[in-house]
Amino acid sequence: MTTMNLADTIIMFVGFYFLVSTAMMKVHGRVNRMLISKKYDPQKARDLPGFISCMYLPNLVIGFVTMAVGAAHFVVADILGKEDIGIYIYMAYVILFVIYAFGLARAQKKYLSPS
């Protein structure tokens, strides 16, 4: 297994973990600490159910996209041998993740700030 195969496998695992933690967040009503900043305490949140409902769909999307990026990079770069396209896939993912991170920060400020 090459280094990129290992990296793609880890990326797909992170996407899967993201999906599982999102589902657990929706079912149990507790937010995984992976999703929130250290400066926010879920116990003192203004509207934790609002945060969960606001971020549920974006978390699912970013989880599926993370898994897809790992699989797509593996197929494109390792199987088809088009490493340059694989780099473009990662660059597009980074841009999407930055957009997601800004949305997550706004949702934290809106729903998790103590009143």
Side-chain angles (χ1 to χ4, degrees):
M1 180 177 261
T2 66
T3 304
M4 285 314 294
N5 288 350
L6 180 62
D8 293 334
T9 304
I10 291 171
I11 290 169
M12 287 186 279
F13 177 75
V14 167
F16 179 73
Y17 178 75
F18 217 95
L19 292 175
V20 169
S21 66
T22 300
M24 298 301 283
M25 175 180 73
K26 187 71 166 180
V27 170
H28 295 294
R30 291 186 309 261
V31 179
N32 190 336
R33 287 302 299 187
M34 172 183 79
L35 293 177
I36 56 177
S37 173
K38 290 181 182 180
K39 69 180 183 177
Y40 296 111
D41 183 12
Q43 303 299 330
K44 299 176 184 174
R46 182 182 328 163
D47 185 12
L48 189 62
F51 177 77
I52 292 171
S53 64
C54 174
M55 290 308 298
Y56 180 69
L57 185 60
N59 288 345
L60 282 180
V61 169
I62 203 71
F64 279 120
V65 168
T66 303
M67 287 180 61
V69 162
H73 184 269
F74 174 72
V75 169
V76 169
D78 294 336
I79 295 176
L80 299 178
K82 309 278 186 184
E83 289 89 11
D84 54 339
I85 296 174
I87 291 172
Y88 295 138
I89 290 172
Y90 279 152
M91 287 174 30
Y93 175 72
V94 167
I95 292 169
L96 179 68
F97 194 82
V98 167
I99 293 169
Y100 164 78
F102 278 112
L104 179 63
R106 289 183 67 204
Q108 287 178 11
K109 188 174 185 180
K110 181 177 180 180
Y111 295 106
L112 299 181
S113 293
S115 26

Short mmCIF file of all heavy atoms in Angstrom, two decimals, residues 48-98:
data_model
loop_
_atom_site.label_atom_id
_atom_site.label_comp_id
_atom_site.label_asym_id
_atom_site.label_seq_id
_atom_site.Cartn_x
_atom_site.Cartn_y
_atom_site.Cartn_z
N LEU A 48 -29.06 24.38 21.82
CA LEU A 48 -28.37 23.20 21.30
C LEU A 48 -29.21 22.46 20.26
O LEU A 48 -28.68 22.07 19.22
CB LEU A 48 -27.95 22.28 22.44
CG LEU A 48 -27.05 21.12 22.07
CD1 LEU A 48 -25.73 21.62 21.50
CD2 LEU A 48 -26.80 20.23 23.28
N PRO A 49 -30.51 22.25 20.47
CA PRO A 49 -31.31 21.60 19.41
C PRO A 49 -31.33 22.41 18.11
O PRO A 49 -31.35 21.83 17.02
CB PRO A 49 -32.71 21.49 20.02
CG PRO A 49 -32.48 21.51 21.49
CD PRO A 49 -31.29 22.40 21.70
N GLY A 50 -31.32 23.73 18.22
CA GLY A 50 -31.25 24.56 17.02
C GLY A 50 -29.95 24.38 16.28
O GLY A 50 -29.91 24.32 15.05
N PHE A 51 -28.83 24.27 17.02
CA PHE A 51 -27.54 24.02 16.40
C PHE A 51 -27.53 22.67 15.70
O PHE A 51 -27.03 22.55 14.58
CB PHE A 51 -26.43 24.08 17.46
CG PHE A 51 -25.07 23.76 16.92
CD1 PHE A 51 -24.36 24.69 16.19
CD2 PHE A 51 -24.50 22.51 17.13
CE1 PHE A 51 -23.11 24.39 15.68
CE2 PHE A 51 -23.26 22.20 16.63
CZ PHE A 51 -22.56 23.16 15.91
N ILE A 52 -28.08 21.67 16.35
CA ILE A 52 -28.12 20.33 15.76
C ILE A 52 -28.93 20.33 14.48
O ILE A 52 -28.51 19.78 13.46
CB ILE A 52 -28.65 19.30 16.78
CG1 ILE A 52 -27.63 19.13 17.91
CG2 ILE A 52 -28.96 17.98 16.12
CD1 ILE A 52 -28.13 18.31 19.07
N SER A 53 -30.09 20.95 14.50
CA SER A 53 -30.93 20.96 13.30
C SER A 53 -30.32 21.83 12.20
O SER A 53 -30.45 21.52 11.00
CB SER A 53 -32.35 21.42 13.61
OG SER A 53 -32.35 22.75 14.06
N CYS A 54 -29.61 22.89 12.58
CA CYS A 54 -28.98 23.76 11.59
C CYS A 54 -27.81 23.07 10.91
O CYS A 54 -27.60 23.22 9.70
CB CYS A 54 -28.50 25.04 12.27
SG CYS A 54 -27.56 26.15 11.22
N MET A 55 -27.02 22.31 11.66
CA MET A 55 -25.80 21.73 11.12
C MET A 55 -25.94 20.28 10.67
O MET A 55 -24.99 19.71 10.15
CB MET A 55 -24.68 21.82 12.16
CG MET A 55 -24.19 23.22 12.41
SD MET A 55 -23.73 24.13 10.91
CE MET A 55 -22.39 23.15 10.29
N TYR A 56 -27.11 19.69 10.82
CA TYR A 56 -27.28 18.28 10.45
C TYR A 56 -27.02 18.05 8.96
O TYR A 56 -26.19 17.20 8.60
CB TYR A 56 -28.68 17.81 10.84
CG TYR A 56 -28.94 16.37 10.50
CD1 TYR A 56 -28.28 15.36 11.19
CD2 TYR A 56 -29.81 16.02 9.48
CE1 TYR A 56 -28.51 14.03 10.88
CE2 TYR A 56 -30.03 14.70 9.17
CZ TYR A 56 -29.38 13.71 9.88
OH TYR A 56 -29.60 12.39 9.56
N LEU A 57 -27.68 18.78 8.11
CA LEU A 57 -27.50 18.58 6.67
C LEU A 57 -26.10 18.95 6.19
O LEU A 57 -25.48 18.17 5.45
CB LEU A 57 -28.56 19.34 5.88
CG LEU A 57 -28.55 19.13 4.37
CD1 LEU A 57 -28.78 17.66 4.04
CD2 LEU A 57 -29.60 19.99 3.72
N PRO A 58 -25.53 20.10 6.60
CA PRO A 58 -24.15 20.39 6.20
C PRO A 58 -23.15 19.33 6.67
O PRO A 58 -22.21 18.99 5.96
CB PRO A 58 -23.85 21.74 6.83
CG PRO A 58 -25.17 22.39 6.99
CD PRO A 58 -26.12 21.27 7.28
N ASN A 59 -23.36 18.79 7.87
CA ASN A 59 -22.47 17.73 8.36
C ASN A 59 -22.59 16.47 7.52
O ASN A 59 -21.59 15.81 7.23
CB ASN A 59 -22.75 17.41 9.82
CG ASN A 59 -22.29 18.49 10.75
OD1 ASN A 59 -21.52 19.36 10.38
ND2 ASN A 59 -22.79 18.45 11.97
N LEU A 60 -23.81 16.11 7.15
CA LEU A 60 -23.99 14.94 6.28
C LEU A 60 -23.31 15.16 4.94
O LEU A 60 -22.62 14.27 4.42
CB LEU A 60 -25.47 14.65 6.07
CG LEU A 60 -26.21 13.95 7.19
CD1 LEU A 60 -27.67 13.73 6.81
CD2 LEU A 60 -25.56 12.63 7.54
N VAL A 61 -23.50 16.33 4.37
CA VAL A 61 -22.91 16.63 3.06
C VAL A 61 -21.39 16.57 3.14
O VAL A 61 -20.75 15.93 2.29
CB VAL A 61 -23.40 18.00 2.55
CG1 VAL A 61 -22.60 18.44 1.34
CG2 VAL A 61 -24.88 17.95 2.21
N ILE A 62 -20.80 17.20 4.14
CA ILE A 62 -19.34 17.21 4.22
C ILE A 62 -18.81 15.81 4.52
O ILE A 62 -17.73 15.43 4.05
CB ILE A 62 -18.83 18.27 5.23
CG1 ILE A 62 -17.39 18.68 4.90
CG2 ILE A 62 -18.90 17.79 6.65
CD1 ILE A 62 -17.22 19.49 3.70
N GLY A 63 -19.55 15.00 5.26
CA GLY A 63 -19.14 13.61 5.50
C GLY A 63 -19.14 12.79 4.23
O GLY A 63 -18.17 12.07 3.93
N PHE A 64 -20.23 12.88 3.45
CA PHE A 64 -20.29 12.15 2.18
C PHE A 64 -19.24 12.65 1.20
O PHE A 64 -18.59 11.86 0.51
CB PHE A 64 -21.68 12.26 1.55
CG PHE A 64 -22.69 11.32 2.13
CD1 PHE A 64 -23.83 11.80 2.74
CD2 PHE A 64 -22.50 9.95 2.07
CE1 PHE A 64 -24.77 10.94 3.28
CE2 PHE A 64 -23.42 9.08 2.61
CZ PHE A 64 -24.56 9.57 3.22
N VAL A 65 -19.05 13.97 1.14
CA VAL A 65 -18.06 14.53 0.22
C VAL A 65 -16.65 14.10 0.63
O VAL A 65 -15.83 13.78 -0.23
CB VAL A 65 -18.18 16.07 0.17
CG1 VAL A 65 -17.01 16.70 -0.53
CG2 VAL A 65 -19.47 16.46 -0.52
N THR A 66 -16.36 14.04 1.93
CA THR A 66 -15.05 13.60 2.39
C THR A 66 -14.79 12.16 1.97
O THR A 66 -13.70 11.84 1.48
CB THR A 66 -14.93 13.76 3.92
OG1 THR A 66 -15.17 15.12 4.26
CG2 THR A 66 -13.57 13.35 4.42
N MET A 67 -15.78 11.31 2.16
CA MET A 67 -15.62 9.92 1.71
C MET A 67 -15.44 9.85 0.20
O MET A 67 -14.60 9.11 -0.31
CB MET A 67 -16.82 9.08 2.14
CG MET A 67 -16.85 8.79 3.62
SD MET A 67 -18.26 7.79 4.12
CE MET A 67 -17.99 6.30 3.20
N ALA A 68 -16.21 10.63 -0.53
CA ALA A 68 -16.13 10.62 -1.99
C ALA A 68 -14.79 11.15 -2.49
O ALA A 68 -14.24 10.64 -3.47
CB ALA A 68 -17.27 11.43 -2.59
N VAL A 69 -14.25 12.15 -1.81
CA VAL A 69 -12.96 12.71 -2.21
C VAL A 69 -11.86 11.67 -2.04
O VAL A 69 -11.00 11.51 -2.91
CB VAL A 69 -12.65 14.00 -1.41
CG1 VAL A 69 -11.18 14.35 -1.46
CG2 VAL A 69 -13.48 15.14 -1.94
N GLY A 70 -11.87 10.96 -0.93
CA GLY A 70 -10.87 9.91 -0.72
C GLY A 70 -10.96 8.84 -1.79
O GLY A 70 -9.95 8.41 -2.35
N ALA A 71 -12.18 8.40 -2.10
CA ALA A 71 -12.38 7.37 -3.12
C ALA A 71 -12.03 7.90 -4.51
O ALA A 71 -11.38 7.20 -5.30
CB ALA A 71 -13.82 6.88 -3.09
N ALA A 72 -12.43 9.12 -4.80
CA ALA A 72 -12.16 9.69 -6.13
C ALA A 72 -10.66 9.88 -6.35
O ALA A 72 -10.15 9.59 -7.43
CB ALA A 72 -12.89 11.02 -6.30
N HIS A 73 -9.97 10.36 -5.33
CA HIS A 73 -8.53 10.54 -5.48
C HIS A 73 -7.83 9.19 -5.67
O HIS A 73 -6.91 9.07 -6.48
CB HIS A 73 -7.93 11.26 -4.27
CG HIS A 73 -6.48 11.54 -4.44
ND1 HIS A 73 -5.51 10.67 -4.04
CD2 HIS A 73 -5.83 12.59 -5.01
CE1 HIS A 73 -4.33 11.15 -4.33
NE2 HIS A 73 -4.50 12.33 -4.92
N PHE A 74 -8.27 8.19 -4.95
CA PHE A 74 -7.70 6.86 -5.13
C PHE A 74 -7.89 6.36 -6.56
O PHE A 74 -6.95 5.88 -7.19
CB PHE A 74 -8.32 5.88 -4.13
CG PHE A 74 -7.88 4.47 -4.35
CD1 PHE A 74 -6.60 4.07 -4.02
CD2 PHE A 74 -8.75 3.53 -4.90
CE1 PHE A 74 -6.18 2.77 -4.23
CE2 PHE A 74 -8.34 2.23 -5.11
CZ PHE A 74 -7.04 1.84 -4.77
N VAL A 75 -9.09 6.50 -7.07
CA VAL A 75 -9.38 6.02 -8.43
C VAL A 75 -8.62 6.84 -9.47
O VAL A 75 -7.96 6.29 -10.35
CB VAL A 75 -10.91 6.06 -8.71
CG1 VAL A 75 -11.20 5.84 -10.17
CG2 VAL A 75 -11.62 5.04 -7.85
N VAL A 76 -8.70 8.15 -9.37
CA VAL A 76 -8.10 9.01 -10.39
C VAL A 76 -6.57 8.96 -10.35
O VAL A 76 -5.92 8.79 -11.38
CB VAL A 76 -8.61 10.46 -10.24
CG1 VAL A 76 -7.82 11.41 -11.11
CG2 VAL A 76 -10.08 10.53 -10.59
N ALA A 77 -6.00 9.13 -9.16
CA ALA A 77 -4.55 9.24 -9.08
C ALA A 77 -3.85 7.88 -9.09
O ALA A 77 -2.85 7.71 -9.77
CB ALA A 77 -4.16 10.01 -7.83
N ASP A 78 -4.37 6.91 -8.35
CA ASP A 78 -3.66 5.65 -8.22
C ASP A 78 -4.04 4.64 -9.30
O ASP A 78 -3.17 3.95 -9.82
CB ASP A 78 -3.92 5.05 -6.84
CG ASP A 78 -3.32 5.89 -5.74
OD1 ASP A 78 -2.37 6.64 -6.03
OD2 ASP A 78 -3.80 5.82 -4.60
N ILE A 79 -5.29 4.54 -9.64
CA ILE A 79 -5.69 3.55 -10.63
C ILE A 79 -5.52 4.08 -12.05
O ILE A 79 -4.95 3.41 -12.91
CB ILE A 79 -7.15 3.09 -10.38
CG1 ILE A 79 -7.21 2.36 -9.04
CG2 ILE A 79 -7.64 2.20 -11.50
CD1 ILE A 79 -8.58 1.94 -8.62
N LEU A 80 -5.99 5.31 -12.30
CA LEU A 80 -5.90 5.87 -13.65
C LEU A 80 -4.57 6.57 -13.91
O LEU A 80 -4.24 6.87 -15.06
CB LEU A 80 -7.06 6.85 -13.90
CG LEU A 80 -8.46 6.25 -13.81
CD1 LEU A 80 -9.50 7.32 -14.03
CD2 LEU A 80 -8.63 5.12 -14.81
N GLY A 81 -3.82 6.89 -12.86
CA GLY A 81 -2.52 7.51 -13.02
C GLY A 81 -2.54 8.99 -13.35
O GLY A 81 -1.57 9.52 -13.88
N LYS A 82 -3.60 9.68 -13.04
CA LYS A 82 -3.73 11.13 -13.32
C LYS A 82 -3.53 11.90 -12.02
O LYS A 82 -4.48 12.40 -11.43
CB LYS A 82 -5.10 11.45 -13.91
CG LYS A 82 -5.51 10.61 -15.07
CD LYS A 82 -4.88 11.13 -16.32
CE LYS A 82 -5.45 10.34 -17.49
NZ LYS A 82 -4.85 10.70 -18.72
N GLU A 83 -2.29 12.02 -11.57
CA GLU A 83 -2.01 12.67 -10.29
C GLU A 83 -2.42 14.14 -10.27
O GLU A 83 -2.83 14.66 -9.25
CB GLU A 83 -0.53 12.57 -9.93
CG GLU A 83 -0.09 11.17 -9.55
CD GLU A 83 0.36 10.35 -10.74
OE1 GLU A 83 0.53 10.93 -11.84
OE2 GLU A 83 0.54 9.14 -10.57
N ASP A 84 -2.30 14.83 -11.41
CA ASP A 84 -2.66 16.24 -11.44
C ASP A 84 -4.15 16.45 -11.19
O ASP A 84 -4.55 17.38 -10.50
CB ASP A 84 -2.22 16.90 -12.75
CG ASP A 84 -2.74 16.16 -13.98
OD1 ASP A 84 -3.09 14.97 -13.86
OD2 ASP A 84 -2.78 16.78 -15.06
N ILE A 85 -4.98 15.57 -11.71
CA ILE A 85 -6.42 15.68 -11.46
C ILE A 85 -6.71 15.38 -9.99
O ILE A 85 -7.59 16.01 -9.38
CB ILE A 85 -7.21 14.74 -12.39
CG1 ILE A 85 -7.01 15.19 -13.84
CG2 ILE A 85 -8.69 14.73 -12.04
CD1 ILE A 85 -7.62 14.27 -14.86
N GLY A 86 -5.97 14.46 -9.40
CA GLY A 86 -6.13 14.16 -7.98
C GLY A 86 -5.84 15.36 -7.10
O GLY A 86 -6.50 15.61 -6.11
N ILE A 87 -4.84 16.15 -7.50
CA ILE A 87 -4.52 17.36 -6.74
C ILE A 87 -5.65 18.37 -6.86
O ILE A 87 -6.02 19.04 -5.89
CB ILE A 87 -3.18 17.95 -7.21
CG1 ILE A 87 -2.05 17.00 -6.79
CG2 ILE A 87 -2.96 19.34 -6.64
CD1 ILE A 87 -0.71 17.35 -7.33
N TYR A 88 -6.24 18.49 -8.05
CA TYR A 88 -7.38 19.40 -8.23
C TYR A 88 -8.57 18.96 -7.38
O TYR A 88 -9.32 19.80 -6.86
CB TYR A 88 -7.78 19.49 -9.69
CG TYR A 88 -6.73 20.13 -10.57
CD1 TYR A 88 -6.43 19.61 -11.81
CD2 TYR A 88 -6.01 21.24 -10.15
CE1 TYR A 88 -5.47 20.18 -12.63
CE2 TYR A 88 -5.05 21.83 -10.95
CZ TYR A 88 -4.78 21.29 -12.19
OH TYR A 88 -3.82 21.86 -12.97
N ILE A 89 -8.76 17.67 -7.25
CA ILE A 89 -9.84 17.16 -6.39
C ILE A 89 -9.62 17.62 -4.95
O ILE A 89 -10.54 18.11 -4.29
CB ILE A 89 -9.93 15.62 -6.48
CG1 ILE A 89 -10.45 15.19 -7.85
CG2 ILE A 89 -10.80 15.06 -5.37
CD1 ILE A 89 -10.39 13.71 -8.10
N TYR A 90 -8.39 17.48 -4.47
CA TYR A 90 -8.09 17.92 -3.11
C TYR A 90 -8.23 19.43 -2.95
O TYR A 90 -8.71 19.91 -1.93
CB TYR A 90 -6.69 17.50 -2.69
CG TYR A 90 -6.60 16.06 -2.22
CD1 TYR A 90 -5.42 15.36 -2.35
CD2 TYR A 90 -7.66 15.42 -1.62
CE1 TYR A 90 -5.31 14.04 -1.92
CE2 TYR A 90 -7.58 14.12 -1.19
CZ TYR A 90 -6.39 13.43 -1.34
OH TYR A 90 -6.30 12.15 -0.90
N MET A 91 -7.82 20.19 -3.94
CA MET A 91 -7.95 21.65 -3.86
C MET A 91 -9.42 22.07 -3.80
O MET A 91 -9.79 22.95 -3.01
CB MET A 91 -7.25 22.31 -5.04
CG MET A 91 -5.74 22.24 -4.94
SD MET A 91 -4.77 22.84 -6.35
CE MET A 91 -5.75 24.08 -7.10
N ALA A 92 -10.26 21.43 -4.61
CA ALA A 92 -11.70 21.74 -4.57
C ALA A 92 -12.29 21.36 -3.21
O ALA A 92 -13.13 22.09 -2.66
CB ALA A 92 -12.41 21.00 -5.69
N TYR A 93 -11.82 20.26 -2.66
CA TYR A 93 -12.31 19.84 -1.35
C TYR A 93 -11.91 20.84 -0.26
O TYR A 93 -12.72 21.15 0.62
CB TYR A 93 -11.80 18.45 -1.00
CG TYR A 93 -12.17 18.03 0.39
CD1 TYR A 93 -13.49 17.69 0.70
CD2 TYR A 93 -11.24 17.99 1.42
CE1 TYR A 93 -13.86 17.33 1.98
CE2 TYR A 93 -11.60 17.62 2.70
CZ TYR A 93 -12.90 17.29 2.97
OH TYR A 93 -13.26 16.94 4.24
N VAL A 94 -10.70 21.32 -0.31
CA VAL A 94 -10.24 22.30 0.68
C VAL A 94 -11.10 23.56 0.61
O VAL A 94 -11.51 24.11 1.65
CB VAL A 94 -8.74 22.63 0.49
CG1 VAL A 94 -8.34 23.85 1.29
CG2 VAL A 94 -7.90 21.43 0.89
N ILE A 95 -11.42 24.02 -0.59
CA ILE A 95 -12.28 25.20 -0.74
C ILE A 95 -13.65 24.94 -0.15
O ILE A 95 -14.20 25.75 0.60
CB ILE A 95 -12.37 25.61 -2.22
CG1 ILE A 95 -11.01 26.13 -2.70
CG2 ILE A 95 -13.47 26.65 -2.44
CD1 ILE A 95 -10.91 26.31 -4.20
N LEU A 96 -14.22 23.76 -0.44
CA LEU A 96 -15.53 23.40 0.11
C LEU A 96 -15.48 23.30 1.63
O LEU A 96 -16.39 23.77 2.33
CB LEU A 96 -16.02 22.08 -0.49
CG LEU A 96 -17.36 21.58 0.03
CD1 LEU A 96 -18.48 22.50 -0.45
CD2 LEU A 96 -17.61 20.17 -0.43
N PHE A 97 -14.40 22.76 2.17
CA PHE A 97 -14.29 22.61 3.61
C PHE A 97 -14.14 23.96 4.30
O PHE A 97 -14.66 24.15 5.40
CB PHE A 97 -13.12 21.69 3.98
CG PHE A 97 -13.18 21.23 5.40
CD1 PHE A 97 -13.98 20.16 5.76
CD2 PHE A 97 -12.46 21.87 6.38
CE1 PHE A 97 -14.06 19.74 7.06
CE2 PHE A 97 -12.52 21.46 7.70
CZ PHE A 97 -13.33 20.39 8.04
N VAL A 98 -13.45 24.89 3.67
CA VAL A 98 -13.33 26.24 4.25
C VAL A 98 -14.70 26.91 4.30
O VAL A 98 -15.06 27.54 5.30
CB VAL A 98 -12.31 27.08 3.46
CG1 VAL A 98 -12.39 28.55 3.82
CG2 VAL A 98 -10.90 26.56 3.69
#
